[in-house]
Structure formats: C-alpha cells, structure tokens
C-alpha cells in the first residue's frame, strides 16, 4: 500500500511509533525513524537489521523543537531517499500529575513535545511537500483529546490542540495537495501504559467493548490506511481507534 513512498516517523524507536515503522516497511515504504537519543535510535535500527542492510530504513535523533535541526534532518532524508511523502508526528509523553502538584515547567515540557514539535515538524515537512506537489501529515492524538482526563491536564490539553492543528492544517494545506489527519488511539499496550498502576488500567479495560487494550499494530494499521492512496479523499479527520471505549 505504500510502495515507493518515503516516510518519517517521530518517536519511532518503540511502542506505537516502532509498530508504524515496521508496518510501513512491510507495505513497501522507505522509512526514517526519529528518536530522542542516538542510543534508542540505534537500538531500534538493530531490531530492523535486514531493512538497514537493504537501505530502506534510516535513524536520526534531532531536537524536534529546533527548527534548524529538523530542517537539516528532513533535507538529509529527502536527499538520501529522493523524496519525502509522509510525516507521522508520533513522539509524545504523558503524565498524570494532579493539578495541585502540577508545576508550570512540567506543563511546558508536555506542550513542547506533544504540540510545539508537531507544529515545527509539520511546517518543515509541508515546505518540502509543497515543492513536491503533495504529501501526507499524520498526527498521533489520543482518545483523551475527545473526553479530557481527570489528572495530568497538560496531556489532554496538548492532544486537543493536536486535533486543532490537524483540522486547521487540513484546511490550509489542501490546496497544496497535502492531506492532514490524526489517529486517536485508546489504551495501547506500550511502555507509556506499562508504567501505569494496575488499579488504573483494569477499570479502563472494563470500559472497552472489545474487552482488551489495543496492541501497537492495531494503531499502526490505521496509519497505513491514512498514509496510503486508499485515503486520497480523507483530510482533517480524527480517526478513533479505541475499541469504542466508553470513558
Ligand atoms: P512510548 O513512550 O512507548 O514512545 C514514545 C516515543 O516518543 C519514543 O519513540 C521516544 O523516543 C519518543 N520521545 C519521547 N520523548 C521525546 C523527545 N523529547 N524528543 C523526541 N522523541 C521523544 O509511547 P507510545 O505509547 O508509543 O506513544 C506514542 C504516541 O501515542 C504518543 O504521542 C502518545 O501520546 C500517543 N498515545 C499513546 C497511547 C497509549 O495508550 N500508549 C494512547 C493514546 C495516544
């Protein structure tokens, strides 16, 4: 479904991001995975040894909030693979700190990664995609972007804003043949969730009609569809992939 496409996946070293990288490779794309540190990028590349040898996957660790670093990384990827068709803004962090203990610094950190980096990466990617006369930008939102959550207010606030960016950029970039969509996962079996206490997870699973958490590949498959030409008339959509969770 992604033959001859070139994709960049932020937060591609583990969890949902690594699952997206693997599914994109299986569908014929060339992929650059981005992580926060060189060590975690190398760890992920090690897991993809065969693809590394074929030259279909690259890894980088730019600061996603540094416009210059992001620009240079995207240029390098474009020069190596020849073009740049799909950006997945997936890097993100979560926290559950109650408001009374919530420091402005923590709020800023969440917003910097979950929102500001989506702006920076989308802008730099769109400049290249416009020149190429088209592309796809996909964002990892969350089910909490629709309902909010009862602690850690920075996280849902950032994801509400990601939905706003998604819908607005879809309207602004349509004329440049750039589609912009988001996937809003429910609870997914990754490190982000493994670190949460059992008492918090079990009641959530009871609210999922499908009776289980999502596996990263369940989410990655939605990204494959939205990245592909099968979704050629879909833009500005927030696709819930949450097993109809009833929070
Ligand atoms: P994860 O913690 O397993 O992976 C996070 C990824 O983000 C890693 O690849 C990491 O390298 C990258 N990252 C973290 N800090 C970074 C930084 N400062 N700069 C650059 N990259 C950084 O998380 P995950 O569960 O796979 O989450 C991926 C995305 O999915 C996030 O945007 C998250 O908000 C969203 N999400 C997750 C769930 C869930 O239940 N796991 C649910 C809804 C949405």
């Amino acid at each position: 479904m992604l033959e001859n496409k070139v994709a960049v996946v932020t937060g591609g070293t583990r969890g949902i991001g690594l699952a997206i990288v693997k599914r994109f490779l299986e569908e014929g794309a060339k992929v650059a995975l981005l992580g926060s540190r060189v060590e975690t990028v190398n760890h992920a590349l090690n897991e993809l040894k065969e693809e590394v040898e074929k030259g279909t996957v690259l890894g980088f660790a730019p600061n996603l909030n540094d416009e210059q670093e992001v620009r240079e990384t995207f240029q390098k990827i474009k020069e190596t693979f020849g073009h740049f068709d799909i950006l997945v803004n997936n890097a993100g962090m979560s926290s559950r700190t109650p408001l009374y203990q919530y420091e402005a610094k923590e709020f800023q950190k969440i917003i910097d990664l979950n929102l500001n980096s989506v702006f920076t990466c989308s802008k730099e990617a769109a400049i290249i995609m416009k020149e190429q006369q088209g592309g796809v930008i996909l964002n990892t939102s969350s089910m909490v972007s629709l309902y909010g959550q009862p602690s850690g207010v920075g996280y849902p606030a950032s994801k509400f804003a990601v939905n706003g960016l998604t819908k607005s950029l879809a309207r602004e970039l349509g004329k440049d043949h750039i589609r912009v969509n988001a996937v809003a996962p429910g609870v997914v079996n990754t490190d982000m969730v493994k670190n949460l206490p059992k008492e918090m997870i079990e009641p959530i699973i009871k609210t999922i009609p499908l009776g289980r958490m999502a596996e990263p590949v369940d989410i990655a498959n939605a990204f494959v569809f939205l990245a592909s030409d099968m979704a050629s008339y879909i833009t500005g959509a927030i696709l819930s992939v949450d097993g109809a969770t009833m929070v």
Side-chain angles (χ1 to χ4, degrees):
M1 282 169 80
L2 302 176
E3 211 64 55
N4 299 321
K5 306 271 190 199
V6 172
V8 176
V9 181
T10 74
T13 58
R14 58 174 196 258
I16 295 171
L18 184 58
I20 295 170
V21 169
K22 288 179 178 169
R23 286 293 295 115
F24 277 19
L25 288 166
E26 282 167 11
E27 295 296 334
K30 292 187 174 129
V31 183
L33 65 85
L34 272 46
S36 55
R37 291 182 295 124
V38 173
E39 300 77 58
T40 53
V41 167
N42 287 341
H43 189 266
L45 290 177
N46 220 20
E47 223 184 279
L48 300 165
K49 246 186 197 136
E50 268 178 41
E51 297 282 354
V52 173
E53 278 158 19
K54 279 194 273 171
T56 52
V57 64
L58 303 169
F60 298 93
N63 174 352
L64 299 180
N65 289 115
D66 184 321
E67 205 172 80
Q68 186 69 26
E69 267 188 49
V70 169
R71 185 175 306 148
E72 284 170 11
T73 305
F74 287 2
Q75 280 303 338
K76 230 180 270 170
I77 293 163
K78 193 194 152 186
E79 277 158 26
T80 310
F81 286 146
H83 42 113
F84 178 173
D85 309 296
I86 302 156
L87 168 68
V88 180
N89 288 305
N90 169 76
M93 62 170 76
S94 142
S95 98
R96 312 283 301 196
T97 312
L99 184 65
Y100 302 111
Q101 281 88 52
Y102 213 124
E103 305 266 347
K105 220 166 81 185
E106 183 181 349
F107 189 86
Q108 189 60 51
K109 200 173 159 193
I110 297 265
I111 296 295
D112 276 344
L113 180 64
N114 293 10
L115 176 62
N116 295 348
S117 83
V118 177
F119 163 76
T120 302
C121 293
S122 299
K123 180 183 163 191
E124 294 307 320
I127 291 168
I128 300 174
M129 289 171 182
K130 184 181 180 204
E131 266 171 27
Q132 292 176 173
Q133 294 171 355
V136 179
I137 297 174
L138 301 175
N139 300 322
T140 309
S141 184
S142 165
M143 67 176 177
V144 305
S145 75
L146 305 170
Y147 324 125
Q149 75 182 17
S151 63
V153 70
Y155 183 71
S158 72
K159 296 300 187 180
F160 269 78
V162 163
N163 291 2
L165 267 184
T166 303
K167 287 182 176 290
S168 301
L169 289 180
R171 298 185 70 172
E172 183 172 351
L173 301 179
K175 64 178 184 323
D176 300 320
H177 311 288
I178 300 170
R179 295 189 293 106
V180 188
N181 292 295
V183 173
V187 187
V188 191
N189 192 12
T190 69
D191 291 350
M192 191 178 267
V193 164
K194 279 176 200 140
N195 295 333
L196 295 175
K198 228 176 164 187
E199 310 83 73
M200 194 177 273
I201 291 300
E202 278 172 359
I204 295 176
I205 291 178
K206 289 205 179 99
T207 69
I208 307 173
L210 289 182
R212 65 171 177 91
M213 277 192 244
E215 291 303 319
V217 70
D218 293 315
I219 310 303
N221 284 333
F223 279 94
V224 169
F225 167 65
L226 288 173
S228 78
D229 293 340
M230 298 275 284
S232 54
Y233 200 63
I234 301 177
T235 192
I238 315 295
L239 177 59
S240 287
V241 184
D242 62 3
T245 301
M246 304 174 294
V247 174

